Amino acid sequence: MSDLVLVVNAGSSSLKYSLVDAATGDEPADGIVEAIGEDRGALTHRGPSGEHTDKRAFTDHEDALRAVLDAFEQHGPALADADIRAVGHRVVHGGELFSEPTVVDDALLAAVEELVPLAPLHNPANLEGLRVARRLFPDLPQVAVFDTAFHATLPEHAYTYAVPKAWRDEHHVRRYGFHGTSYAFVSQAAADLLGKPVEDTNLVVLHLGNGCSVTAVEGGRSVETSMGLTPLEGLVMGTRSGDLDPAVPAHLNRQLGWSLLDIDRALNKESGLKGLSGVNDFRRLTELRDAGDEDARLAFDVYVHRIRKYVGAYYAVLGRVDAVVFTAGVGENSPSVRAAALAGLDRLGIVVDDGRNEARSRDARAVSPDGADVAVLVVPTNEEWEIARQTLAVI
Ligand code: ADP
């Protein structure tokens, strides 16, 4: 029997997929359908015979997933022979209802629907992915893996916002946290690299991708995290502002006459690095900064300052830290972010070794000197593998 899981991540206009061997992490195929519902749609499939792109319009997620099945048929590996065990879905918001990966049934669909008000940008698309995959794979078990689940261990004092009781009790206003699948994977991999059981390991983990967040992980459990009710809070991100005075939206509403929805959209889509420098892609930002662009310099400085502030805060939350861990696109690939964010923290035992930090590698590795009080690690994340593992564990 195989350990193959088809991992599906349905976004509002995209559908990412990956065929993963849950035992080894091998990915015999993966791909993405982009611009679903638009004229300029494209399916890119990577499999045993290389990369294939099919440019055409995809009307909806069902059309997209059918095209994915065709791509497997045409370019391999043939799904009929692959003996897939299950479909694992990334679902962004599990609210207070889901703290574990869960087999998809009608009750789960209804519950994810109920959570749409908490994640209006993400859950409807995830729901669509769940429904379509159930129709197209009626005989396979389907499992929902929630981005929030890893943070179900947050203590009350960390997840509670200081707001009126009715907001908390009736409207579920609290910190939930996201990127949980990544944190689960990276925390275990970091403990393995340190040669310690994860139960005895305290980590500050920085997930720096398009979205950015940081989590204090105590003995494998999330005890504090920077994203909140939604993924908008915390670090500076590609297009999200992260932290700001909660009075800013009301101020802009009065000054500009913008609706709160418009302001919310701008804080999610037009802020962060993009708002500061005009570009949201970190590679592009680095090029501009190196060419002397002042806005790009400021964006970089604000970005790393925010990270440093959180590292200090989470150090205090944990009391003892074994490692600061960098992961995701920026965290894994930008030595300058790692060096700048941790500069001057040697009194906390946090030191970056320049040679190690600059050396290029795709492996999990330490970039601190041997024997440092606090290790600084770079650990590539693998959310697809973690979703596949959790999916098989449930079924
Ligand atoms: P997502 O959150 O969409 O999964 P990723 O984890 O892939 O995103 O991270 C994407 C970000 O990583 C982009 O801003 C990209 O520019 C940045 N990135 C990727 N490679 C590098 C690199 N070599 N140097 C700096 N930034 C990089």
Side-chain angles (χ1 to χ4, degrees):
M1 194 184 275
S2 87
D3 288 317
L4 286 173
V5 174
L6 182 66
V7 175
V8 174
N9 181 355
S12 55
S13 65
S14 70
L15 189 141
K16 287 190 209 160
Y17 62 94
S18 161
L19 186 62
V20 185
D21 186 321
T24 61
D26 285 347
E27 289 188 31
D30 72 337
I32 182 167
V33 187
E34 291 167 284
I36 298 171
E38 298 171 33
D39 294 338
R40 48 174 198 94
L43 162 61
T44 308
H45 180 84
R46 282 173 295 267
S49 59
E51 187 172 296
H52 304 270
T53 304
D54 175 17
K55 289 198 172 149
R56 68 166 176 93
F58 299 92
T59 47
D60 52 24
H61 285 75
E62 175 148 357
D63 190 18
L65 191 56
R66 283 190 192 282
V68 170
L69 300 191
D70 287 345
F72 273 105
E73 218 42 57
Q74 250 188 307
H75 307 299
L79 290 186
D81 310 330
D83 185 26
I84 298 181
R85 299 278 304 283
V87 184
H89 295 263
R90 174 183 183 219
V91 179
V92 168
H93 216 310
E96 287 166 317
L97 300 174
F98 297 103
S99 55
E100 300 285 342
T102 307
V103 174
V104 178
D105 56 14
D106 291 340
L108 177 129
L109 291 179
V112 172
E113 177 101 58
E114 214 173 285
L115 293 168
V116 164
L118 285 176
L121 298 178
H122 296 102
N123 271 30
N126 300 155
L127 206 49
E128 189 54 25
L130 292 169
R131 291 198 176 112
V132 167
R134 263 183 116 197
R135 279 201 292 277
L136 299 193
F137 298 101
D139 300 328
L140 281 182
Q142 318 252 338
V143 174
V145 179
F146 297 91
D147 241 27
T148 46
F150 184 71
H151 303 294
T153 52
L154 287 175
E156 199 179 23
H157 56 253
Y159 72 65
T160 303
Y161 289 128
V163 297
K165 187 170 169 56
W167 300 6
R168 292 181 273 124
D169 290 354
E170 290 157 34
H171 300 285
H172 314 287
V173 171
R174 49 160 284 181
R175 176 181 311 287
Y176 292 94
F178 299 87
H179 289 142
T181 315
S182 177
Y183 288 122
F185 182 87
V186 168
S187 301
Q188 183 61 56
D192 292 346
L193 190 60
L194 294 170
K196 291 179 75 161
V198 73
E199 293 75 24
D200 300 336
T201 308
N202 284 2
L203 305 168
V204 175
V205 186
L206 291 147
H207 178 108
L208 308 177
N210 282 312
C212 301
S213 70
V214 47
T215 294
V217 184
E218 186 176 58
R221 297 156 64 88
S222 169
V223 294
E224 179 60 284
T225 193
S226 61
M227 284 179 167
L229 177 84
T230 77
L232 183 57
E233 193 181 350
L235 299 178
V236 176
M237 315 183 205
T239 63
R240 298 189 197 118
S241 62
D243 293 337
L244 79 169
D245 183 337
V248 168
H251 173 74
L252 289 173
N253 171 260
R254 288 190 301 269
Q255 295 293 312
L256 297 174
W258 286 22
S259 72
L260 287 177
L261 271 182
D262 287 340
I263 295 165
D264 190 54
R265 193 172 304 122
L267 290 173
N268 275 288
K269 305 256 183 226
E270 304 296 333
S271 302
L273 298 175
K274 187 177 181 192
L276 289 166
S277 72
V279 298
N280 61 290
D281 186 274
F282 211 88
R283 268 171 298 200
R284 185 82 192 99
L285 180 89
T286 311
E287 286 163 13
L288 288 173
R289 174 172 168 263
D290 291 346
D293 184 292
E294 265 302 297
D295 292 337
R297 180 205 50 81
L298 176 62
F300 182 92
D301 290 351
V302 174
Y303 183 90
V304 296
H305 173 72
R306 187 79 54 83
I307 295 171
R308 185 208 313 272
K309 209 161 83 165
Y310 269 94
V311 169
Y314 286 13
Y315 200 121
V317 166
L318 289 168
R320 174 184 67 79
V321 176
D322 295 297
V324 175
V325 189
F326 288 87
T327 193
V330 178
E332 292 166 27
N333 295 300
S334 177
S336 58
V337 164
R338 297 192 295 259
L342 301 183
L345 299 185
D346 42 318
R347 291 289 289 271
L348 297 179
I350 302 173
V351 181
V352 171
D353 178 284
D354 289 338
R356 289 182 176 178
N357 187 39
E358 294 287 339
R360 296 233 151 251
S361 164
R362 287 178 171 276
D363 297 333
R365 61 200 184 274
V367 296
S368 45
D370 291 336
D373 285 349
V374 178
V376 180
L377 308 180
V378 178
V379 176
T381 191
N382 192 333
E383 290 163 274
E384 289 74 23
W385 190 8
E386 184 64 29
I387 290 175
R389 291 204 288 216
Q390 294 193 14
T391 296
L392 267 203
V394 171
I395 63 157

